[in-house]
Amino acid sequence: MQEDDRILVDYRTSDDAGVYRLDESRALVQTVDFFTPIVDDPFVYGRIAAANALSDVYAMGGRPLTALAIAAFPKEAHPSILQQIFAGGFETLREAGVALLGGHTVQDAEIKFGYAVTGEVDPARVLTNTGARPGDVLVLTKPIGTGVISTALKFGRAPAAAVQAAVASMMALNRAAADAIQALPAGAVHACTDVTGFGLLGHASEIAGGSGCTIRIDAERVPLLEGARALVRGNIPGGGRTNRQYFGAGAEIADGIDPDLLDLLFDPQTSGGLLVAIDPAVEAEASEALRRAGCQAVRVGEVLAPSAGRLAIR
């Protein structure tokens, strides 16, 4: 057990990043994330990997400052591929105003790429996954379905329109959404996380567990990427099955929910949107602020008093 009182957030709450207080007005936010290619274009892969890593800092209410690249690369692969991956990542870092300080590469049988990111946050404005309260509304800022579409792409089964929609969503930074919710009145945002590998229901379950509440998700209100629903059958990634097995245990699932839609709720995302628990008194203000920032603002559920399970899907 760590005893340093400067640690504000660490691994014990399964949050998106760690937070370490420097003084009364500044704290560091630190995270690391890397993964194997999910698209064919190495430049686009680099951009997605960077957006995904930066997202953890935005989800904590922070501003990313610096990044260190992490890359694994097969010895026999052409160096131009690695160059394009790094170029794509650097383009997204530049868009975010983040300085690349260096990195580390190793040889491996499979390409892997990502970043360790350091940011800063006001200790009084840190957002975590542990503060949701009964009555809060849940707002999601990006559609879901990237896992299913990426799997279909791997096997040549994804229509171009679906791939384009998924790529655009994954490359989009969560910076504008984070800025919009941080501009709301102090105390209006009670919890926040980004929707990534555990899927919408997995990350909602972590908010519920950390906050001691139950999360209700209104399945038909959840925004989906173009083409995702049609691709579910035969394209569920392994992570989706694992998420359903783990997070679905004990979930209250209403009768009549489309099985394909339910699978998408467990679909692992890459560089997904922010899932935010907001005081209902500022729901309209928050939705308008997100829309002005060019982000989606879809109410996908509500925080309930604790019950037998963490999740209720209706």
Side-chain angles (χ1 to χ4, degrees):
M1 181 72 70
Q2 300 189 92
E3 299 296 340
D4 190 336
D5 62 6
R6 292 168 294 183
I7 298 173
L8 304 183
V9 181
D10 66 8
Y11 59 88
R12 285 171 285 190
T13 56
S14 300
D15 227 310
D16 297 301
V19 181
Y20 186 86
R21 180 171 50 82
L22 296 176
D23 54 38
E24 293 304 312
S25 62
R26 297 178 305 149
L28 292 178
V29 187
Q30 293 190 295
T31 185
V32 59
D33 210 320
F34 61 99
F35 50 84
T36 57
I38 56 171
V39 293
D40 296 329
D41 187 317
F43 184 84
V44 172
Y45 166 50
R47 294 209 64 179
I48 292 170
N52 184 75
L54 296 172
S55 181
D56 287 340
V57 175
Y58 294 130
M60 302 299 293
R63 180 171 68 94
L65 299 174
T66 65
L68 295 169
I70 302 166
F73 202 63
K75 183 177 181 179
E76 66 276 9
H78 199 281
S80 65
I81 297 174
L82 187 59
Q83 292 169 0
Q84 283 297 300
I85 293 170
F86 272 96
F90 183 72
E91 180 67 20
T92 293
L93 294 181
R94 184 166 58 181
E95 177 187 350
V98 173
L100 177 64
L101 299 185
H104 188 69
T105 61
V106 297
Q107 287 186 4
D108 198 357
E110 190 172 18
I111 293 174
K112 302 175 182 71
F113 183 69
Y115 292 95
V117 181
T118 297
E120 66 175 354
V121 66
D122 181 342
R125 297 298 298 268
V126 175
L127 300 178
T128 71
N129 61 10
T130 62
R133 307 172 187 175
D136 285 350
V137 297
L138 286 174
V139 174
L140 181 64
T141 66
K142 282 187 184 182
I144 64 172
T146 63
V148 161
I149 294 173
S150 297
T151 301
L153 174 63
K154 185 184 303 183
F155 295 102
R157 298 191 287 254
V163 174
Q164 290 169 4
V167 165
S169 179
M170 291 187 290
M171 288 197 305
L173 292 170
N174 280 325
R175 177 176 58 180
D179 287 347
I181 63 174
Q182 280 287 66
L184 295 172
V189 178
H190 296 153
C192 183
T193 189
D194 61 340
V195 179
T196 50
F198 291 156
L200 176 62
L201 291 184
H203 289 284
S205 179
E206 290 200 322
I207 290 178
S211 304
C213 61
T214 291
I215 298 289
R216 189 195 73 218
I217 297 293
D218 300 323
E220 290 290 347
R221 300 191 67 168
V222 176
L224 306 178
L225 286 164
E226 179 181 351
R229 201 160 184 165
L231 289 170
V232 171
R233 294 304 98 204
N235 296 298
I236 298 174
R241 291 187 289 272
T242 301
N243 287 344
R244 183 162 187 167
Q245 180 180 10
Y246 184 78
F247 295 108
E252 301 173 10
I253 303 174
D255 294 336
I257 294 178
D258 179 3
D260 291 347
L261 177 57
L262 188 59
D263 281 329
L264 283 168
L265 299 182
F266 289 106
D267 187 45
Q269 303 302 287
T270 300
S271 189
L274 301 181
L275 181 63
V276 194
I278 297 174
D279 187 322
V282 299
E283 179 184 3
E285 181 181 352
S287 296
E288 179 59 27
L290 285 164
R291 292 189 184 101
R292 284 199 309 268
C295 307
Q296 283 198 343
V298 181
R299 178 175 177 169
V300 296
E302 185 179 357
V303 181
L304 308 176
S307 61
R310 291 184 180 183
L311 297 173
I313 302 100
R314 70 173 193 184

